[in-house]
């Protein structure tokens, strides 16, 4: 037990003893505790690798450490301390979404050290995520490792990626507090540490809105992560195979093979289109015993694709209906394990329920004691700075302009996040060149022109080699609108060029070609 506590106190032990020295408490117990903790933390540093050489404590050392363990526990010291004079400023980035990864890609690592903290080690190319649910694309085709986006995270001595979640921020001490996921194999569970920063960039993203509806989190699938797509795929294929078992009633087969999508935004429409393609081209051929039972229902409270041109909305509705997707108007009141209840009392049975109703602030963002914009996002000014908080920036889905800027909160779109990430990387380049990279040193830095967002348009696939392209700069503005096969070619070409790496572009192109020739893979793995 003592040895385990010695190992667990690795980073914090030596500091615990030093704290005792500074307090003038030079008791034998404190000196011995400091000596042993320092021995435990004797390190051999090779490039970026750190190896710890433990020593065997004597019985008296064990007893002293047992007594002082609780004292060390109260001092959270493991982690990265404040950068020293002569070292590069440290930029800490929270998140690996569109905004964070575009910022990481553009950050000059000759000027800064960078630390990225996120519960996932990759960026998800979300516009193509729906295609992975039915086997049009492989999962790795839409996941880009963050170390490929910014190689300094894997290479440079002062830069790191930590697989963890941020639990708190101390803007006075310039520290973030993190912990790994429960169930990790580290000494403490969850393992906690801190990271000191010179500049902090919060790009923690957002969470799916459930509007507090009972049963949504327990029974519905979301579509934000690769893991979500994997779960949807396994559930869909499982239901298809189970429905072929003998003895099932007609009603049970229809329920099992009823796929319900809640939310008529681009994600919901694209997923419905992918499902209809899968049904018409693959289920009809490979699940002939149950092909007549599978169906898709898309439920939306208002109109599908409400941000698109009215003509495109009507085209999408007509095309989806012809492809076998049932469109329903309704508001979900409650979700049960095998059915949903609408506000008008209608019961809709389902075998697969996918929830896609927009995003809102995460619990982490809500918990931060920072200025907030309309809708509960972290408030920012025109340069992505959090007002009144030194050296803290925010961008992406978790951030929005504060009211005094006179700007509207931008929509939670990938192109918004990407543009903000590019802007902030260029801003950090200007700050660094003016020696403002260190903490408390950017007050007199010339920031340049503020951020300006110009909408490039919207695209959505509706299945059947058809897509919508809306190039208007605003919902009420004028511009080019296209629908049909040509739009589908534009949609695929545009997204293929936006995939982050050449490796994944090749994966996507090969997956598309393979699906076209051989159909989608229907193997259920896991």
């Amino acid at each position: 037990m003592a040895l385990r506590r010695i190992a667990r106190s690795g980073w914090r032990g030596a500091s615990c003893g030093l704290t005792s020295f500074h307090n003038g408490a030079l008791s034998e117990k404190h000196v011995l505790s400091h000596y042993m903790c320092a021995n435990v933390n004797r390190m051999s540093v090779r490039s970026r690798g750190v190896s710890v050489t433990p020593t065997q404590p004597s019985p008296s050392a064990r007893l002293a450490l047992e007594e002082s363990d609780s004292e060390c526990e109260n001092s959270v010291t493991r982690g990265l301390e404040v950068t020293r004079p002569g070292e590069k400023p440290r930029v800490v980035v929270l998140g690996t979404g569109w905004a964070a990864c575009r910022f990481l890609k553009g950050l000059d690592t000759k000027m800064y050290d960078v630390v990225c903290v996120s519960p996932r080690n990759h960026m998800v190319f979300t516009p193509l995520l729906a295609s992975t649910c039915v086997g049009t694309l492989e999962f790795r085709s839409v996941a880009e490792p963050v170390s490929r986006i910014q190689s300094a995270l894997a290479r440079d001595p002062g830069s790191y990626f930590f697989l963890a979640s941020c639990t708190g921020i101390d803007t006075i001490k310039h520290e973030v507090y993190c912990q790994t996921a429960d169930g990790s194999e580290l000494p403490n569970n969850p393992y906690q540490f801190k990271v000191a920063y010179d500049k902090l960039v919060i790009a923690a993203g957002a969470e799916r809105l459930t509007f507090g509806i009972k049963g949504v989190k327990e029974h519905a699938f979301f579509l934000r992560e690769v893991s979500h797509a994997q779960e949807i795929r396994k559930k869909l294929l499982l239901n298809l195979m189970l429905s072929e078992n003998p003895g099932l009633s007609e009603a049970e087969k229809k329920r099992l093979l009823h796929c319900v999508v809640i939310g008529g935004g681009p994600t919901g429409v694209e997923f419905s289109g992918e499902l209809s393609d899968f049904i018409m081209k693959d289920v009809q051929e490979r699940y002939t015993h149950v092909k007549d039972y599978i169906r898709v229902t898309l439920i939306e409270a208002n109109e599908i694709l409400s941000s698109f041109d009215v003509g495109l909305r009507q085209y999408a509705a007509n095309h989806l209906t012809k492809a076998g997707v049932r469109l329903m108007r309704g508001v979900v009141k409650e979700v049960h394990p095998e059915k949903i209840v609408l506000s008008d009392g209608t019961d809709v049975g389902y075998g697969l329920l996918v929830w896609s109703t927009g995003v809102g602030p995460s619990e982490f963002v809500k918990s931060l004691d920072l200025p907030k914009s309309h809708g509960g996002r972290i408030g920012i000014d025109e340069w992505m700075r959090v007002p009144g908080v030194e050296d803290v920036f925010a961008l992406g889905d978790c951030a929005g302009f504060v009211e005094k800027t006179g700007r509207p909160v931008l929509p939670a779109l990938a192109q918004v996040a990407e543009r903000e990430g590019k802007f902030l990387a260029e801003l950090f380049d200007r700050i660094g060149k003016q020696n403002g990279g260190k903490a408390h040193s950017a007050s007199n830095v010339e920031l340049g022109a503020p951020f300006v967002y110009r909408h490039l348009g919207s695209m959505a696939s509706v299945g059947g080699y058809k897509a919508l392209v809306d190039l208007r700069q605003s919902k009420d503005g004028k511009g080019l609108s296209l629908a049909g096969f040509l739009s589908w070619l534009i949609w695929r070409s545009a997204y293929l060029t936006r995939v982050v790496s050449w490796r994944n572009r090749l994966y996507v192109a090969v997956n598309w070609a393979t699906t076209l020739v051989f159909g989608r893979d229907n193997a259920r793995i896991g």
Side-chain angles (χ1 to χ4, degrees), residues 82-100:
V82 178
T83 54
R84 300 173 182 176
E87 294 181 339
K88 289 188 290 186
R90 181 186 298 138
V91 179
V92 175
V93 181
L94 305 181
T96 51
W98 280 82

Side-chain angles (χ1 to χ4, degrees), residues 1 21 68 84 101-102 120 154-155 157 162 186 197 200 205 233 288 310 341 345 361 364 372 394 403 405 433:
M1 178 63 72
F21 285 139
S68 64
R84 300 173 182 176
C101 287
R102 184 59 186 86
R120 70 181 190 197
R155 182 193 64 213
F162 296 136
L186 296 176
Y197 65 84
L200 174 64
R233 177 174 170 78
T288 55
V310 62
V341 181
F364 168 68
K372 296 296 195 298
E403 188 174 351
T405 64
K433 288 178 179 178

Side-chain angles (χ1 to χ4, degrees), residues 96-107 120 123-127 144 149 201-203 205 377 380 384 394-399 410-427 451-457 459 494-501 505:
T96 51
W98 280 82
C101 287
R102 184 59 186 86
F103 172 75
L104 288 169
K105 182 179 180 180
L107 186 67
R120 70 181 190 197
M123 170 191 167
V124 179
F125 193 80
T126 47
E144 189 69 40
I149 296 172
V201 177
I202 306 173
R377 299 188 188 183
I380 55 173
M384 308 295 152
L395 67 166
D397 294 353
C398 71
L410 295 174
L413 299 174
Q415 62 174 296
V416 174
E418 185 181 31
R419 215 80 55 77
E420 289 179 344
K422 180 181 179 182
F423 171 85
L424 192 61
E426 294 171 351
L427 177 62
F451 175 75
V452 177
Y453 173 70
R454 291 184 177 85
H455 189 61
L456 298 179
M459 295 184 291
Y495 282 151
L496 187 60
T497 59
R498 300 310 299 164
V499 172
V500 178
S501 68
R505 289 173 195 168

Side-chain angles (χ1 to χ4, degrees), residues 120-122 124 128-143 220-239 241 271 352-354 521-526:
R120 70 181 190 197
N121 72 337
H122 58 274
V124 179
L128 296 178
L129 189 58
S131 298
T132 65
C133 298
V134 295
T136 306
L137 295 177
E138 293 295 327
F139 298 113
R140 65 177 179 176
S141 301
V142 299
F221 291 92
F222 301 97
L223 191 53
R224 295 276 292 173
E225 305 285 347
V226 172
S227 60
H228 297 162
Q230 290 172 325
E231 291 168 357
I232 291 171
R233 177 174 170 78
K234 287 196 292 185
K235 180 66 172 177
L236 176 62
L237 293 176
L238 176 64
N239 287 355
M241 290 181 283
F271 179 70
L352 172 67
L353 177 63
V354 176
D521 179 26
N522 67 339
R524 184 181 185 274
I525 302 173

